[in-house]
Amino acid sequence: SWPALYLARGDAADLAGQPEEVVKNYSEAVKNGETSPPVIRRLVALLSEKGEHQQAQAMLDRLKRSALEDADLGALRVKLALQ
């Protein structure tokens, strides 16, 4: 499946210390249907670290509409709101 391909690429990039590639591939995985909270959590954290708070917030909003929010994602939402 497409999400699995993008996740594998993102995981490899994460291991190689390439956060830009992680963001690119995890974003594609989410666009193609990935809903895993750990993946979303990592993506939102990386976006936030890069200062892309609006994109991180948009990702959280998208997930909220999909009712896929857990406690950790809620904590990230609060952190982003305070920045």
Side-chain angles (χ1 to χ4, degrees):
S1 72
W2 288 113
L5 172 66
Y6 290 117
L7 285 178
R9 288 179 177 172
D11 290 344
D14 212 5
L15 290 173
Q18 300 172 323
E20 294 289 328
E21 285 298 308
V22 177
V23 168
K24 176 180 147 187
N25 284 289
Y26 279 9
S27 294
E28 285 300 317
V30 170
K31 287 178 191 172
N32 282 280
E34 179 58 45
T35 60
S36 167
V39 170
I40 306 306
R41 200 174 298 120
R42 180 71 175 133
L43 177 57
V44 169
L46 286 171
L47 289 168
S48 182
E49 287 172 17
K50 288 176 42 179
E52 295 182 22
H53 303 297
Q54 288 183 339
Q55 191 175 354
Q57 186 66 50
M59 180 65 63
L60 290 174
D61 290 344
R62 180 176 173 183
L63 290 174
K64 187 173 184 177
R65 286 191 300 271
S66 301
L68 296 172
E69 190 165 19
D70 66 9
D72 289 335
L73 290 176
L76 282 172
R77 179 183 302 284
V78 170
K79 181 180 174 183
L80 285 170
L82 295 174
Q83 294 183 3

